Amino acid sequence: MGRRRINLIILFVFIAFFILINFSRSLVTLLTDWWWFKQVGYSAVFLGILKLKILTGAISGFIFFIFLYSNLLIAKKLAPPFPYWYGSQESPLYNILRFIKSPAFMRFFNLVLLTVALIAALGIGVSTSTYWDVVLKYINQTAFGVKDPVFGLDISFHMFSIPFFRGLARIGLQALIIAIILTGLLHWINGGITFRNGTASFSPRTKAHLSVLLGLLFVLIGISYKLSTYNLLQSGTGVIYGAGYTDIHAKLPALNILFYSSLIAGVLSLVNIYFRGWKLPAGSLAFIIAMSILAGSIYPAIVQQYVVSPNEIEKETPYIKQAIKFTNLAYGLDKIKEKPFSAEQALDKTAIRNNKQTIDNIRLWDWKPLEKTFKQIQSIRLYYDFMDVDVDRYLIDGDYRQVAVSARELNTNDLPDNAKTWVNQHLVYTHGYGVIANKVNEFTDDGLPNLIIKDIPPKTSIPNLKIKRPEIYFGEATDNYIIVHTKTREFDYPMGNENKYTKYEGKDGVKLGSFFKEAAFAFRFSSLKLLLSSAITDNSRIIFNRNVVDRANTIAPFLSYENDPYIVIDEGKLYWIIDGFTSEKGYPYSEPFDGENNYIRNSVKVVVDAYNGDVNYYVFDKKDPVIQTYRKAFPGLFKDSSEMPAGLAKHIRYPESLFVIQSNMYTTFHMKDPQVFYNKEDLWNIPKEIVEGKEADVEPYYMVIKLPGEEKEKFMMMTPFTPVKKSNMIAWMAAKCEPEEYGQILVYRFPKQKLIYGPMQIEARIDQTPNISQELTLWNQRGSRVIRGNLFVIPIEDSLLYVEPLYLQSEQTELPELKRVIVAYGSKIVMENNLESALEEIFGKSGAPAKPYAPKPTSELTPSSIKELIEKASSQFEAAQNNLREGNWAGYGEEMNNLQDTLARLKEQVSK
């Protein structure tokens, strides 16, 4: 075997060892991920992404290796004759260079150059592989059918092609700079570059070599300038997001000048080979820098100051029109239908009765206090937890009812410290159990939710809510791995003083079955116990990626996901539904919603089986070019929405996060007139409300309502709007959730000549209503506090009803109890024990509006002296407190009413 071959073998062994040491954990993760993807049925997605990463990194790394290694060999070959640069034989450098020039060292030196080129190429390859998603979208891009107003190019060019070209230019610049540095260093080592008296000298051949590289560098800089011209359509420096007057008439010409100047500089660098010194490249660089300052900064500033600013509306109007148009397109706001809402306030008892389904679905339970209550009354054991409460709808006894549902998940972090063993956390306590649910408008006499599903095992009297498979192996709290089919019994659920045990019958989990697999997972999860445990058998399976959002994201990382999955009951089984989004940056003239991304669609619904872990992706927006692009790349990943089981399709919801983005955008971009937009004359806001004693933005909420002009109630999401810096309502937005109308958005505008109370105005009126404010003040005493729930604005026919629940919570326990309901309509505000009583107080039992609640007439009071009145008030207050401590709310309310009467009489006596 030749010496050269031995050296090559040593080199590749060294590189292999280097990769193994530095990437061992990544390699083990890759291997175990492959086993997992095979098991869940998405191996094609795994291989597709892996193949693209490898090809992207390998091709770029190979090209860079050829380029760099060739230049290093050229630099070595172009070394000047020895000892031209190092003087006499007495010079110390002479002896060093003589050693370097020896045949023995040169063979080693060639190996060093090869190693340097390989390591640099590996770095470039690894860096480039992270651009796999950019390459994927470029290769599979789908046209939008909409062209930008400046260059006349399809939107897909800006969203898919430009990022690809920009990535190429960025990596090319990095690679070229590395090549220039390493090549220059080699020329210096070989004597092609010397320094004498602080001046660098270059041999003719070294100068020629470096001139070619500098020419390529100038060309790449020019390409970067050209790409920057397209970036102007995402400029954020003007009155709108996108290219304005200054961008088009000053910055765009400047960038084009810099583009051509850079190309000329590249040519001059090549011409410089035939001239002495570096005057041509240096002069070109100086010109480019001067032009970037003059044309790129100073000239646009002059245009902005003296041309645009004096006539800004006139100059910017065409560009404002484009910003309004394209922002609406990017967020789907162009499809919003606006309708008038008269707000006649003409409701009566008959109208309330005719809209019974809407009334029966008014949400009195806010998710925050309800979550606390669920944890107190249904956790059963310390290790069970309710991560969230979600609102959905079910058909109950023939009625369409809005329901609050929460999954009872198992959180091993809540086990007692002495029970937090590896066996308990990974082999025994493996799953949660069942859900709890209540109708959103019902509560018991004690102020607790009236549960329609409760306990372990789950109990319900409603047939379509019966759960046959209550075990939750996949959820929101399931972040740890578990191992099933072991010798250790698997805990199922507690029953009295005993525990029930079970065996996992699902199909999820990677089968271990060998020492190699056990060792791989032990290394991945940093657990030697996994390798040494005697409870693991050949049939044991390891289940991981159990958090449903992480599970969906692991399979399809190119989508973004709603962080609030919700659980659904269908045919006795539990499923999680997660909203998936395609969000991108690069949409021309579109305002970003997060500082970067300026396009979003809710194109995908992900369904995860809570027991088996099966994951399915259903496309609900086939017109979205981004999801069409991904479908081209992964044809077996997505299914049509029509393939979703009918029982699950009935529970799809419009995602809150998208609705928030769209409603926030609409507060500005509902203004279609450029002058109105420029002056922000009709700017809207998301209103404020009082929640738990603090001012907060009104959160969108799900409602079951019948829209004006429609025949039946539907489940939808809603939010109100107020004018900026004002509190009255100007409009409200609703997004439909039913499958046949999913995603339709309506905006109802109020007449501008009418005062329509906004949430904060209603909150203020509540505080100014004497009998309500007095009771709230008395409740907010030591030992308890009042929690004011969300204020709901409820459209009924052509009128508005306002409803706010009140909860009372002891400072000693986290158990909020629903005690009062406040209803406002027109000029009337009442607070009663329940919604039905409040509506009767507002509209009267006979249908005629009744007077708001007031204290009893003072003529019915018999005490005549101030002293007697004070003593009576004191005894009534003490009696009320005794009833409060005993939980006798009826007695408490009666004594408080008596106290109000006494205080009114006392005020009358004092004022005489």
Side-chain angles (χ1 to χ4, degrees):
M1 185 179 293
R3 181 72 178 174
R4 181 178 179 82
R5 184 174 296 180
I6 293 174
N7 289 339
L8 286 174
I9 292 174
I10 293 172
L11 172 63
F12 286 115
V13 169
F14 169 77
I15 293 174
F17 182 74
F18 174 82
I19 293 173
L20 184 63
I21 293 298
N22 287 276
F23 299 99
S24 57
R25 182 166 293 277
S26 298
L27 292 173
V28 169
T29 300
L30 184 68
L31 177 62
T32 51
D33 277 345
W34 162 242
W35 291 334
W36 184 81
F37 271 88
K38 282 179 62 180
Q39 184 271 316
V40 295
Y42 289 109
S43 56
V45 177
F46 176 86
L47 292 175
I49 294 175
L50 181 62
K51 177 182 176 182
L52 197 55
K53 286 181 178 180
I54 292 173
L55 285 176
T56 303
I59 292 172
S60 59
F62 178 74
I63 293 173
F64 176 70
F65 169 76
I66 296 298
F67 178 75
L68 177 60
Y69 191 54
S70 299
N71 277 278
L72 291 177
L73 291 179
I74 291 170
K76 177 174 170 288
K77 187 175 181 180
L78 294 178
F82 173 82
Y84 175 74
W85 293 98
Y86 286 97
S88 66
Q89 296 183 8
E90 288 76 19
S91 170
L93 293 176
Y94 176 91
N95 295 319
I96 295 173
L97 191 58
R98 182 177 181 180
F99 171 73
I100 292 175
K101 294 285 187 176
S102 66
F105 183 82
M106 289 308 294
R107 285 195 295 268
F108 174 74
F109 192 57
N110 289 339
L111 196 60
V112 170
L113 295 182
L114 180 62
T115 303
V116 169
L118 284 172
I119 291 175
L122 179 64
I124 289 293
V126 171
S127 174
T128 307
S129 67
T130 60
Y131 289 85
W132 66 270
D133 58 329
V134 176
V135 177
L136 180 144
K137 286 181 284 188
Y138 174 74
I139 295 172
N140 299 281
Q141 62 181 280
T142 302
F144 278 69
V146 178
K147 294 184 178 181
D148 77 78
V150 177
F151 302 103
L153 298 169
D154 191 87
I155 301 299
S156 59
F157 177 80
H158 297 277
M159 295 183 67
F160 303 138
S161 297
I162 288 296
F164 177 76
F165 296 141
R166 192 181 296 122
L168 285 180
R170 186 183 300 115
I171 293 168
L173 282 171
Q174 293 173 358
L176 196 52
I177 291 171
I178 292 172
I180 290 174
I181 292 172
L182 293 177
T183 303
L185 180 62
L186 183 55
H187 277 299
W188 174 75
I189 292 173
N190 283 333
I193 302 174
T194 61
F195 295 90
R196 292 180 180 177
N197 301 321
T199 303
S201 298
F202 299 82
S203 71
R205 291 187 291 183
T206 297
K207 179 186 172 187
H209 188 194
L210 294 178
S211 293
V212 172
L213 293 178
L214 281 176
L216 291 175
L217 183 62
F218 277 122
V219 170
L220 278 178
I221 291 173
I223 292 173
S224 297
Y225 279 126
K226 185 62 178 177
L227 292 173
S228 295
T229 61
Y230 301 108
N231 289 349
L232 291 176
L233 301 191
Q234 282 89 49
S235 172
T237 58
V239 296
I240 46 92
Y241 188 86
Y245 184 93
T246 301
D247 295 308
I248 298 299
H249 294 87
K251 291 183 179 180
L252 182 58
L255 288 170
N256 284 325
I257 290 172
L258 288 167
F259 165 63
Y260 290 112
S261 299
S262 299
L263 296 184
I264 294 171
V267 175
L268 291 177
S269 294
L270 298 179
V271 174
N272 186 64
I273 295 172
Y274 303 101
F275 291 86
R276 295 185 61 185
W278 297 90
K279 291 182 180 179
L280 290 179
S284 300
L285 180 61
F287 177 78
I288 292 172
I289 293 173
M291 280 299 299
S292 65
I293 296 172
L294 179 63
S297 299
I298 297 176
Y299 177 61
I302 293 172
V303 171
Q304 181 67 34
Q305 182 68 29
Y306 298 103
V307 178
V308 177
S309 294
N311 309 283
E312 194 165 44
I313 296 181
E314 177 189 346
K315 297 294 184 184
E316 298 290 3
T317 290
Y319 310 105
I320 293 174
K321 288 181 179 179
Q322 302 299 344
I324 295 171
K325 174 185 175 181
F326 281 89
T327 299
N328 277 281
L329 285 171
Y331 293 98
L333 306 179
D334 58 307
K335 297 180 177 63
I336 289 178
K337 296 179 181 179
E338 289 196 357
K339 296 183 178 183
F341 192 89
S342 60
E344 294 296 340
Q345 301 302 98
L347 290 181
D348 55 19
K349 183 75 173 181
T350 302
I352 297 296
R353 185 170 55 251
N354 291 340
N355 290 273
K356 183 177 183 300
Q357 194 167 22
T358 297
I359 299 300
D360 288 344
N361 283 285
I362 293 176
R363 180 154 61 95
L364 301 181
W365 281 105
D366 295 345
W367 71 270
K368 287 183 179 179
L370 187 57
E371 182 183 349
K372 293 179 181 178
T373 302
F374 279 173
K375 289 181 178 181
Q376 290 292 322
I377 65 176
Q378 279 288 304
S379 287
I380 311 295
R381 293 290 189 272
L382 290 173
Y383 41 78
Y384 286 129
D385 199 1
F386 297 98
M387 301 297 295
D388 193 15
V389 178
D390 296 298
V391 176
D392 201 354
R393 70 283 197 196
Y394 288 86
L395 198 63
I396 299 176
D397 298 329
D399 291 330
Y400 199 51
R401 298 303 297 266
Q402 196 171 195
V403 174
V405 186
S406 186
R408 184 186 289 105
E409 298 196 58
L410 191 145
N411 190 344
T412 55
N413 292 325
D414 291 333
L415 288 170
D417 290 339
N418 61 352
K420 290 180 181 178
T421 64
W422 181 85
V423 171
N424 277 343
Q425 292 181 311
H426 300 286
L427 307 186
V428 177
Y429 293 96
T430 57
H431 58 274
Y433 208 88
V435 302
I436 55 174
N438 70 291
K439 297 176 184 177
V440 296
N441 70 320
E442 293 186 2
F443 56 99
T444 67
D445 293 339
D446 296 326
L448 299 177
N450 188 14
L451 299 178
I452 56 176
I453 305 176
K454 61 182 178 179
D455 299 337
I456 298 178
K459 299 174 184 175
T460 182
S461 60
I462 302 168
N464 60 314
L465 294 183
K466 291 185 181 297
I467 303 172
K468 302 173 184 176
R469 181 58 80 182
E471 301 91 341
I472 300 175
Y473 283 83
F474 303 87
E476 294 182 87
T478 49
D479 292 322
N480 64 326
Y481 70 89
I482 59 172
I483 303 174
V484 296
H485 296 179
T486 67
K487 296 177 182 178
T488 303
R489 292 192 301 174
E490 186 183 342
F491 170 75
D492 196 19
Y493 62 89
M495 178 172 283
N497 295 325
E498 298 180 354
N499 291 333
K500 287 286 186 178
Y501 294 89
T502 188
K503 182 179 181 180
Y504 180 63
E505 297 176 355
K507 59 183 181 180
D508 195 74
V510 176
K511 189 174 180 180
L512 295 173
S514 70
F515 177 82
F516 177 70
K517 280 191 173 183
E518 291 178 18
F521 282 109
F523 187 73
R524 172 172 180 153
F525 295 114
S526 302
S527 176
L528 190 60
K529 294 177 181 178
L530 193 154
L531 186 62
L532 301 177
S533 175
S534 59
I536 297 175
T537 70
D538 291 341
N539 294 320
S540 296
R541 285 187 275 164
I542 184 167
I543 302 176
F544 57 104
N545 290 333
R546 297 198 300 138
N547 181 287
V548 290
V549 176
D550 292 344
R551 192 173 182 85
N553 186 64
T554 301
I555 296 170
F558 38 82
L559 300 176
S560 54
Y561 299 91
E562 183 91 326
N563 287 324
D564 183 23
Y566 57 100
I567 200 160
V568 171
I569 306 167
D570 182 44
E571 295 185 354
K573 296 187 66 177
L574 299 176
Y575 300 89
W576 294 95
I577 297 182
I578 312 164
D579 284 287
F581 307 98
T582 53
S583 57
E584 295 289 336
K585 54 187 176 182
Y587 202 99
Y589 281 100
S590 175
E591 184 87 20
F593 63 87
D594 59 358
E596 184 177 29
N597 293 294
N598 60 359
Y599 172 90
I600 189 168
R601 289 290 187 275
N602 174 217
S603 299
V604 177
K605 302 286 184 181
V606 186
V607 177
V608 182
D609 189 311
Y611 186 76
N612 279 322
D614 296 335
V615 186
N616 289 287
Y617 298 78
Y618 299 96
V619 174
F620 274 76
D621 188 353
K622 297 179 182 179
K623 296 181 180 180
D624 175 23
V626 182
I627 201 62
Q628 289 180 31
T629 296
Y630 288 131
R631 292 192 83 167
K632 288 180 185 177
F634 305 106
L637 175 60
F638 299 101
K639 300 177 181 179
D640 288 336
S641 59
S642 58
E643 297 181 59
M644 177 181 280
L648 293 176
K650 293 177 181 178
H651 294 279
I652 62 172
R653 308 184 314 182
Y654 202 79
E656 181 179 343
S657 60
L658 177 60
F659 192 76
V660 168
I661 291 170
Q662 290 176 314
S663 58
N664 281 327
M665 284 295 168
Y666 203 71
T667 59
T668 301
F669 289 92
H670 71 276
M671 295 181 283
K672 302 299 190 291
D673 185 279
Q675 185 166 346
V676 173
F677 183 95
Y678 175 83
N679 293 316
K680 299 294 186 287
E681 296 175 22
D682 193 23
L683 190 64
W684 295 352
N685 237 341
I686 302 298
K688 303 285 186 180
E689 64 174 335
I690 303 297
V691 180
E692 297 190 7
K694 298 178 181 178
E695 190 174 300
D697 287 340
V698 171
E699 295 179 353
Y701 44 90
Y702 293 103
M703 297 289 296
V704 173
I705 58 174
K706 181 166 62 177
L707 293 174
E710 298 197 359
E711 296 181 356
K712 64 178 183 178
E713 286 80 2
K714 297 175 181 177
F715 186 71
M716 59 189 66
M717 174 163 273
M718 174 185 165
T719 193
F721 295 114
T722 59
V724 70
K725 296 182 180 179
K726 292 185 179 180
S727 299
N728 60 288
M729 274 207 302
I730 192 73
W732 58 278
M733 175 187 281
K736 296 182 178 181
C737 299
E738 305 302 336
E740 62 275 8
E741 298 178 301
Y742 181 78
Q744 293 183 17
I745 301 178
L746 302 170
V747 170
Y748 289 86
R749 286 177 176 256
F750 298 118
K752 291 190 175 181
Q753 66 272 18
K754 280 188 178 182
L755 173 62
I756 309 300
Y757 290 122
M760 281 303 293
Q761 290 175 320
I762 296 295
E763 298 281 18
R765 291 182 60 207
I766 291 172
D767 291 335
Q768 293 165 8
T769 303
N771 60 296
I772 296 178
S773 61
Q774 288 173 10
E775 289 203 41
L776 295 183
T777 300
L778 289 171
W779 278 347
N780 270 319
Q781 60 185 300
R782 190 173 184 180
S784 63
R785 69 184 182 98
V786 173
I787 300 174
R788 291 171 70 159
N790 294 117
L791 177 65
F792 297 107
V793 182
I794 302 159
I796 299 179
E797 296 185 355
D798 290 323
S799 302
L800 292 177
L801 195 68
Y802 304 84
V803 177
E804 181 175 273
L806 293 181
Y807 313 91
L808 194 64
Q809 179 179 308
S810 169
E811 291 184 359
Q812 284 74 39
T813 61
E814 289 280 314
L815 183 61
E817 297 175 350
L818 205 166
K819 292 301 182 183
R820 294 289 187 272
V821 178
I822 298 175
V823 175
Y825 175 75
S827 60
K828 305 174 184 64
I829 295 181
V830 300
M831 181 174 72
E832 292 295 333
N833 293 333
N834 52 56
L835 180 60
E836 183 181 1
S837 299
L839 292 174
E840 287 182 354
E841 192 69 35
I842 288 279
F843 298 103
K845 293 184 180 181
S846 63
K851 296 180 180 180
Y853 172 79
K856 296 177 182 178
T858 56
S859 59
E860 295 182 17
L861 303 175
T862 55
S864 56
S865 69
I866 293 177
K867 182 178 179 181
E868 289 174 338
L869 288 172
I870 293 173
E871 290 176 351
K872 186 172 183 64
S874 177
S875 63
Q876 288 169 340
F877 180 76
E878 185 176 351
Q881 294 310 297
N882 289 334
N883 286 327
L884 179 64
R885 284 189 289 269
E886 294 171 0
N888 182 1
W889 287 98
Y892 173 77
E894 183 179 354
E895 291 296 341
M896 290 302 299
N897 289 336
N898 292 337
L899 176 60
Q900 289 178 2
D901 296 340
T902 304
L903 291 175
R905 178 61 178 163
L906 180 61
K907 181 178 180 181
E908 179 184 334
Q909 291 287 339
V910 171
S911 61
K912 287 182 179 180

